[in-house]
Amino acid sequence: MSCRACGSAVPATAKFCHKCGANLKAELPAAAWRVGLPWGIAGAAVGALLTALVLRSGAGRGATNEVQASFGSPLPAPDISQMSPEERASRLFNRVMVLAQADKQDSVSFFLPMAIGAYQQLPALDNDARYHVGLLQLAGGNTTPALAEADTILTSTPTHLFGFVLRAQAYHQLGDRAKERRAYAAFLKNAPAERARNRPEYNDHKTFLDAFHQEAVRRQSAAPR
């Protein structure tokens, strides 16, 4: 038996490929990922993508080659069998985010369960990991679980900025402009004190948070009085 994603030989009883992590029991979407699907985008867009992905520092270093590859360059599937659980989760997160940025929704749907499952296998989820899970859910258009991650973050840390970011993005997808504005307002209200705490996850995602802050200011200034 061969993996339909990377072509590796796998036992007939296997549920996931030991090489690339593909779900061997799932139906393959019509336009799903195949060997050679590029991981990244070319040129200046790479920098913007890295900002949008809000990669953890360790994950960013581990995925540099994949993300910087040109969009037309075939790349083999990553070997996740030798990775730690944390690295596996981060690598799959990177892949889903790159595919979402490229608007490859069939491929996002294919890899999303693997990425979510990888985070579920971690011993514990801190606020940064829950933020990543929320972003994954939003990439799949799943606003309810994304909002649940935001609620969990804000329950444990009521002023944590990642909770407001997830809420703003989820309500934007839902078209609930009133709640979206409230999420942006809550972000702006709590940002000065929260950024002063120098939480490690804020330092990892500084560029993204700066950009989100600017967007929040713009949204608030454009809001109806």
Side-chain angles (χ1 to χ4, degrees):
M1 176 178 173
S2 298
C3 173
R4 293 171 296 178
C6 70
S8 298
V10 293
T13 56
K15 294 183 179 180
F16 293 92
C17 176
H18 69 282
K19 190 77 171 177
C20 72
N23 186 343
L24 301 174
K25 302 302 182 183
E27 291 296 325
L28 194 63
W33 179 86
R34 59 190 181 277
V35 176
L37 182 70
W39 274 47
I41 58 178
V46 171
L49 178 59
L50 289 175
T51 298
L53 293 181
V54 292
L55 300 177
R56 301 169 81 170
S57 57
R61 288 191 296 270
T64 299
N65 292 337
E66 289 91 345
V67 176
Q68 289 183 340
S70 69
F71 204 65
S73 300
L75 288 176
D79 184 355
I80 65 173
S81 61
Q82 303 303 316
M83 297 179 186
S84 68
E86 292 79 7
E87 187 179 6
R88 186 180 303 116
S90 294
R91 191 65 64 88
L92 288 167
F93 169 82
N94 293 345
R95 169 162 283 205
V96 171
M97 292 294 103
V98 169
L99 291 169
Q101 184 75 7
D103 199 25
K104 302 286 187 179
Q105 285 305 122
D106 283 340
S107 300
V108 168
S109 298
F110 182 71
F111 279 103
L112 184 60
M114 283 184 276
I116 297 295
Y119 278 95
Q120 290 173 341
Q121 292 174 16
L122 296 179
L125 296 180
D126 58 14
N127 286 333
D128 194 36
R130 290 193 176 281
Y131 177 53
H132 281 207
V133 173
L135 290 177
L136 286 168
Q137 296 289 10
L138 288 172
N142 306 319
T143 54
T144 298
L147 286 170
E149 294 298 338
D151 290 345
T152 301
I153 291 172
L154 293 171
T155 297
S156 65
T157 313
T159 58
H160 201 290
L161 299 181
F162 287 172
F164 304 125
V165 171
L166 289 177
R167 281 183 175 176
Q169 294 181 346
Y171 289 132
H172 179 78
Q173 284 193 16
L174 290 169
D176 192 329
R177 298 297 175 248
K179 289 184 178 179
E180 181 186 2
R181 285 195 297 271
R182 286 200 291 271
Y184 275 117
F187 177 93
L188 291 175
K189 176 183 177 181
N190 291 285
E194 276 294 303
R195 296 296 291 271
R197 296 179 187 274
N198 290 318
R199 299 186 192 275
E201 60 267 33
Y202 292 166
N203 293 331
D204 289 344
H205 306 318
K206 180 181 183 301
T207 302
F208 172 80
L209 287 173
D210 290 345
F212 189 88
H213 190 281
Q214 293 178 1
E215 178 64 12
V217 171
R218 187 188 72 79
R219 294 294 185 97
Q220 290 301 104
S221 63
R225 302 295 180 181

